[in-house]
Amino acid sequence: HQANHDPLTGLANRRKFMKKLKDVLKKKTKAAVILLDFDNFKEINDTVGHVYGDQLLKKFSQLLLSSFNDNVFVARYGGDEFLLLIENINSKEEIEKYIKKLKEIVSEPFLIDKNEFYLDFSLGISCYPKDSSNSYELITMADTAMYQVKELSNKYYLFYTSEIFNKIKDKKIIREILRRAVKNNAFELKYQPQFNTQTEEIECLEALIRLKDYNISPGKFIPIAEETGLIIDIGRWVTKRAINQLKELRDQGFKEKRIAINFSGEQLNDKNYVDFLQKSLKENNINPEFIEIEITENVLIEHKQESLDFLEKIKNAGVKIALDDFGTGYSSFSQLTFLPADYIKLDKVLIERFISGEKLNSIKSLINLIHNLDLKVVAEGIEEYDLFKFLEENGCDYIQGYLFSRPLKVEELKKVYDKNYLS
Ligand code: C2E
Ligand code: MG
Ligand code: MG
């Protein structure tokens, strides 16, 4: 009995489930594997203790057993994960009926020692023979779908598809590439100039990260770096590289210009970042005013107090602050009044939305409003001359975009460093 059952819940264990699954596959009738994983179960264990956690798993297991007929075989996969094998099904809709029933089990709170607990879960589903006829593969597929559904906020179950597989596979590969790149110094920075519309000179350079050996855009790999925590090492690398770059340029006789560094919300977990930044500045003898930190408005929404504390520290260190991608998120003007920023970067999307709605005057008002808050305006993603002209005439302070320059490798940058694009 012990070899085939889970001691805590009394359910079949993983081994028994595999045996059962293999037997069912031999029958050659349609079947489905459901992998169930609780959401935030770790929190319950961490806050009220394992004793309650165990009780909940026990209670849930009893309900699982009593809720279904002989078509469903239930097992504990391990931890807070359960496996269900459903036989004698003919359609996806039938499987969904079982899923509904599962959901009903957790629709009421669980009562343990007069304490109410609400449980919720995510499900990944694979089907025989559609997805595979191999028992191990079916479980992996259910697992893959479950992994994916955890990332979606609007779904709690997902049927396995090959697209899901490709997505995950991609992700895993990129994660590995990033891990190796951190170890082997395989990143580089490109620099995109920002023009001051008054002086007509390049005044600032935005540092944009690239993978040396792969053509994968940061839009794709930065979110993965954030998810895996690798962003902390990467963020430090970018900071250090940008500061070294300033020193190198100065040593070669180039005038000092500001470098803007993108800062991801996940880097708020890097508690000593500001110390690190200050130390790097000191070592290279760079004035902090030549560094600008770009944060996005989403960071403010998700981690408001932390962000404000961080920005205060940055500001006190003499470093400049820009609010990036303004107009893409849930930006509200009230943010701008208490934000210790120096620059607001209007996103390409926002500008395009105004243009397509023939609301050019609104851009003008927006620029005035930002100026009234004593902030400077940067327009991003400018590709057309007419638009540049319009922005310039309406007081936009800086322009960044392909019209003047793409992000450049440092050798290319040196060639245009003092160029006046407007004359
Ligand atoms: P971002 O900070 O908003 O950077 C501007 C992006 O717009 C860059 O894309 C730039 O190449 C692109 N761009 C500039 N001018 C134009 C234009 O005229 N037209 C169009 N269509 N695009 C233009 P890139 O380099 O692919 O970077 C994408 C995003 O990745 C950045 O958006 C930023 O959020 C993130 N990122 C890049 N480097 C870093 C980094 O070192 N750390 C962090 N945390 N994020 C980074
Ligand atoms: Mg940026
Ligand atoms: Mg931006």
Side-chain angles (χ1 to χ4, degrees):
H1 187 85
Q2 270 181 4
N4 286 318
H5 292 82
D6 166 50
L8 175 72
T9 60
L11 292 183
N13 61 15
R14 181 196 296 234
R15 179 191 148 119
K16 177 80 190 281
F17 186 86
M18 290 310 288
K19 236 166 106 195
K20 174 81 182 174
L21 179 57
K22 281 179 187 159
D23 288 344
V24 168
L25 297 182
K26 278 185 206 144
K27 294 188 201 164
K28 307 244 179 251
T29 55
K30 284 187 182 171
V33 171
I34 300 182
L35 180 69
L36 179 155
D37 183 297
F38 283 107
D39 300 336
N40 309 322
F41 200 79
K42 197 177 163 295
E43 254 168 50
I44 294 182
N45 274 334
D46 289 349
T47 50
V48 293
H50 286 272
V51 179
Y52 279 103
D54 283 356
Q55 297 270 10
L56 282 168
L57 292 175
K58 258 183 172 165
K59 208 153 204 172
F60 177 74
S61 303
Q62 286 158 11
L63 288 168
L64 268 182
L65 284 176
S66 59
S67 302
F68 297 107
N69 56 20
D70 285 350
N71 280 335
V72 182
F73 184 79
V74 186
R76 182 169 179 216
Y77 192 39
D80 61 344
E81 296 191 327
F82 293 82
L83 280 165
L84 287 89
L85 173 61
I86 311 177
E87 286 185 74
N88 299 317
I89 40 163
N90 292 304
S91 66
K92 204 170 155 177
E93 287 69 34
E94 261 180 66
I95 301 172
E96 280 170 335
K97 274 187 198 148
Y98 284 101
I99 291 172
K100 275 230 178 76
K101 200 146 190 194
L102 264 174
K103 192 74 175 173
E104 276 165 25
I105 298 178
V106 294
S107 63
E108 299 271 318
F110 285 67
L111 206 63
I112 292 171
D113 289 351
K114 294 186 183 141
N115 294 307
E116 284 190 346
F117 293 94
Y118 289 87
L119 291 178
D120 216 343
F121 52 65
S122 303
L123 307 174
I125 305 125
S126 61
C127 299
Y128 166 81
K130 182 175 97 24
D131 297 325
S132 172
S133 47
N134 175 294
S135 52
Y136 292 97
E137 266 180 28
L138 283 166
I139 292 184
T140 307
M141 287 164 164
D143 195 22
T144 304
M146 205 278 297
Y147 184 91
Q148 181 64 27
V149 83
K150 289 259 186 200
E151 317 221 319
L152 308 172
S153 52
N154 58 342
K155 287 205 172 96
Y156 71 96
Y157 70 89
L158 212 58
F159 285 85
Y160 174 84
T161 61
S162 54
E163 288 91 74
I164 294 180
F165 177 69
N166 287 331
K167 239 190 194 156
I168 302 277
K169 197 178 66 179
D170 252 32
K171 224 184 207 178
K172 279 197 177 144
I173 292 170
I174 293 176
R175 207 177 299 158
E176 275 322 300
I177 290 174
L178 290 177
R179 232 172 240 137
R180 268 181 281 127
V182 166
K183 246 187 12 214
N184 306 332
N185 202 11
F187 293 106
E188 66 184 334
L189 291 183
K190 282 197 168 182
Y191 301 92
Q192 189 177 29
Q194 278 174 24
F195 298 89
N196 182 321
T197 52
Q198 298 267 309
T199 64
E200 305 192 345
E201 282 179 3
I202 300 176
E203 184 172 315
C204 178
L205 306 161
E206 178 171 8
L208 294 160
I209 194 168
R210 299 289 181 265
L211 272 163
K212 268 189 205 163
D213 308 321
Y214 299 88
N215 185 14
I216 309 173
S217 77
K220 184 148 193 182
F221 71 72
I222 290 290
I224 296 172
E226 290 172 344
E227 235 173 71
T228 49
L230 286 166
I231 193 66
I232 303 238
D233 284 336
I234 295 174
R236 286 193 173 211
W237 182 87
V238 171
T239 304
K240 189 148 199 159
R241 183 72 209 106
I243 292 172
N244 285 338
Q245 189 68 70
L246 275 177
K247 180 183 182 318
E248 279 171 35
L249 284 165
R250 185 181 59 197
D251 289 350
Q252 292 163 15
F254 291 94
K255 180 174 133 197
E256 277 172 310
K257 290 186 178 180
R258 203 166 66 244
I259 290 196
I261 297 170
N262 288 285
F263 188 86
S264 143
E266 293 302 315
Q267 287 176 263
L268 291 170
N269 295 321
D270 187 356
K271 295 299 172 209
N272 296 320
Y273 178 82
V274 181
D275 291 342
F276 172 82
L277 171 64
Q278 284 181 298
K279 193 164 154 260
S280 307
L281 286 168
K282 212 165 182 179
E283 278 170 7
N284 291 282
N285 193 20
I286 298 289
N287 188 325
E289 69 179 18
F290 287 116
I291 294 296
E292 175 180 320
I293 298 288
E294 291 192 2
I295 64 148
T296 64
E297 40 187 2
N298 293 336
V299 177
L300 287 171
I301 291 156
E302 284 168 35
H303 322 266
K304 192 158 177 185
Q305 200 48 51
E306 270 173 288
S307 307
L308 290 177
D309 293 347
F310 169 77
L311 294 178
E312 217 47 65
K313 263 205 227 162
I314 288 280
K315 186 106 198 169
N316 290 336
V319 171
K320 301 288 179 205
I321 296 166
L323 184 62
D324 200 0
D325 301 347
F326 187 78
T328 56
Y330 308 93
S331 41
S332 97
F333 269 110
S334 64
Q335 309 267 36
L336 298 183
T337 55
F338 58 74
L339 195 69
D342 304 280
Y343 306 94
I344 304 294
K345 299 186 77 174
L346 305 184
D347 196 80
K348 184 175 169 51
V349 173
L350 177 76
I351 297 171
E352 278 168 2
R353 218 184 293 140
F354 281 134
I355 296 168
S356 63
E358 298 188 9
K359 297 240 162 52
L360 284 175
N361 273 333
S362 311
I363 301 188
K364 192 174 167 176
S365 316
L366 183 59
I367 292 173
N368 284 336
L369 219 146
I370 295 172
H371 281 164
N372 285 335
L373 292 166
D374 262 343
L375 303 168
K376 299 238 184 256
V377 183
V378 186
E380 241 189 318
I382 303 305
E383 296 177 357
E384 285 159 30
Y385 184 79
D386 289 350
L387 184 57
F388 149 67
K389 257 322 204 202
F390 175 82
L391 288 162
E392 187 195 30
E393 278 159 17
N394 286 289
C396 181
D397 305 283
Y398 301 92
I399 302 282
Q400 177 180 352
Y402 294 168
L403 173 66
F404 294 123
S405 175
R406 291 186 170 259
L408 304 171
K409 287 198 180 205
V410 69
E411 290 312 316
E412 300 166 304
L413 172 71
K414 286 178 188 170
K415 291 181 200 152
V416 300
Y417 204 78
D418 292 313
K419 180 171 167 180
N420 183 328
Y421 280 82
L422 304 176
S423 60

